[in-house]
Amino acid sequence: MGDIETPDSNRPRQTVLLSVLPSKEFATSKKGLLLIAEVALSFISFVCFAASTAAAFVTVPALEFLAAVFLLFAYSTKFNERFKGFLWPLMDFMRCVTASIIFFIVSIIAVSKYADGSSKAAGIFGFIATIVFALDFYVIFNELANFLKQGGESNEEPSRQQDDFSDSDSD
């Protein structure tokens, strides 16, 4: 009967909700705050578009909400570090660029063409989301530019290369 573990009374119980939420360190970082803002603004814009006469535009905030939630989960749980095959910064950059452009276009149409209040609110939240997505791709672009200025080397690779050279010298 050793298959079942007895619960450790010293260990704090973690609820399911707390295990899904991002860690405090990530949530207070610049990237975490931007992703949380993108999730919130996309969801608010989705709700406003769903309640408006411009319901045809509900797809844009819904897709951006899902993409932002996925990346928030991936970055907060370090899921992106386990899958090196994807170019995460480039994927995130392209998501932010396309989201800011599409949100801007949809928001202009919602504000100018539709007269109901929820369409106007969706447009206003869409403009705010456009600014947040643009700020996010600006931050990502600066990080990528700094990475490329350093020659594309991370901190681990030079030490690993030095270890390889020292091993070959001792032979």
Side-chain angles (χ1 to χ4, degrees), residues 81-123:
E81 293 176 2
R82 287 185 240 154
F83 291 94
K84 299 286 185 181
F86 292 111
L87 297 173
W88 290 93
L90 182 62
M91 187 173 66
D92 197 15
F93 178 77
M94 293 304 295
R95 176 191 65 88
C96 290
V97 168
T98 56
S100 63
I101 292 170
I102 293 172
F103 256 116
F104 185 69
I105 292 169
V106 167
S107 297
I108 288 175
I109 294 170
V111 168
S112 64
K113 188 175 178 183
Y114 297 94
D116 62 317
S118 55
S119 294
K120 303 279 186 201

Side-chain angles (χ1 to χ4, degrees), residues 59-89:
T59 307
V60 172
L63 289 176
E64 295 306 329
F65 171 75
L66 293 174
V69 165
F70 171 72
L71 282 174
L72 179 66
F73 175 76
Y75 285 138
S76 66
T77 60
K78 302 200 186 307
F79 182 74
N80 60 329
E81 293 176 2
R82 287 185 240 154
F83 291 94
K84 299 286 185 181
F86 292 111
L87 297 173
W88 290 93

Side-chain angles (χ1 to χ4, degrees), residues 7 13 30 36 57 66 78 99 104 117 120 125 147 150 152:
R13 292 187 54 161
K30 189 185 326 182
I36 290 170
F57 299 123
L66 293 174
K78 302 200 186 307
F104 185 69
K120 303 279 186 201
F125 283 112
F147 178 74
Q150 295 173 357

